[in-house]
Amino acid sequence: MKALLVSALLFAMPVWAQAAWQLDEEHSSVHYVSIKNTSTGEINSFGKLSGSIEEQESRVVIDLSSVETGIDIRNERMQEMLFETGQFGEAEVTMAMGEEALSDMEVGERRQETQTLSLSLHGETLELEAEMQAIRLDDSTLLISSVHPVIISAEDFGLGEGVEALREVAGLSAISTAVPVSFNLVFTQ
């Protein structure tokens, strides 16, 4: 009888609410803009992401060794001198957009709101405000993205010395310690 009741409840739920949501790495992205010598901006990204949408929150893990700046030696320097990936290989972001908050969205529906993100990076965890949107693309695909870039300060995460080391090795007059970060996260079932 109990099994019959559970089965009936599962059939009554929409298909997308029955299974866990996993990040679609191929269609997801996290980008940031670095500014050097006060006026040269460069778009960088991370190639390896993973994550899921749980009942109460969404979680994304960024493999910091997958940083892509467009120049191999700069990628290596970012890994070693800034992120120190031997000790701090990942960054983790959690947000309060979980299945519970998203389960009643219709296909094509868009929701926008300011959320508090928790970012764990380089041994520090801080909360940041982000204007985000969720869009139900179809029954098995959900997009969560930044509406505006989120500004991350290197000093807040103990990365100031790494930025200075990069500036020195590259012979630059300056590298901004605050970077705008944007994201498009596609979750599927």
Side-chain angles (χ1 to χ4, degrees):
M1 181 66 171
K2 188 175 181 180
L4 183 60
L5 180 59
V6 169
S7 295
L9 287 173
L10 284 175
F11 283 120
M13 295 173 64
V15 172
W16 49 263
Q18 295 178 28
W21 294 86
Q22 296 298 315
L23 185 76
D24 179 347
E25 182 180 55
E26 182 180 349
H27 295 101
S28 298
S29 63
V30 174
H31 289 86
Y32 67 94
V33 177
S34 62
I35 308 293
K36 63 183 182 184
N37 292 336
T38 67
S39 63
T40 303
E42 298 172 328
I43 299 172
N44 304 296
S45 63
F46 295 94
K48 293 184 182 175
L49 309 170
S50 61
S52 60
I53 298 176
E54 307 298 331
E55 186 175 334
Q56 298 294 322
E57 66 184 16
S58 298
R59 178 176 170 267
V60 176
V61 176
I62 302 166
D63 180 345
L64 298 174
S65 68
S66 71
V67 65
E68 183 53 63
T69 66
I71 300 173
D72 290 342
I73 188 66
R74 188 167 42 195
N75 294 346
E76 292 172 18
R77 288 175 177 167
M78 294 284 289
Q79 293 167 22
E80 295 169 13
M81 300 170 77
L82 180 65
F83 296 127
E84 298 179 296
T85 56
Q87 185 177 359
F88 306 104
E90 298 177 336
E92 181 175 307
V93 180
T94 57
M95 60 193 101
M97 279 189 157
E99 276 188 289
E100 192 172 281
L102 301 169
S103 64
D104 63 342
M105 288 182 71
E106 299 292 329
V107 172
E109 183 179 347
R110 175 183 173 268
R111 291 187 184 164
Q112 181 175 329
E113 61 185 65
T114 300
Q115 284 275 331
T116 300
L117 306 178
S118 175
L119 173 60
S120 296
L121 171 65
H122 203 252
E124 300 290 334
T125 301
L126 296 173
E127 292 186 347
L128 305 162
E129 294 296 309
E131 184 73 15
M132 300 180 353
Q133 65 181 352
I135 303 170
R136 167 90 51 206
L137 300 177
D138 59 38
D139 282 342
S140 61
T141 311
L142 182 68
L143 170 67
I144 297 176
S145 63
S146 53
V147 174
H148 308 290
V150 179
I151 305 299
I152 307 290
S153 172
E155 278 100 4
D156 290 346
F157 293 93
L159 297 168
E161 289 179 17
V163 171
E164 179 58 20
L166 289 171
R167 186 200 63 76
E168 287 178 10
V169 76
L172 300 171
S173 62
I175 298 177
S176 177
T177 58
V179 297
V181 178
S182 59
F183 54 88
N184 286 295
L185 307 171
V186 176
F187 293 91
T188 59
Q189 294 184 306

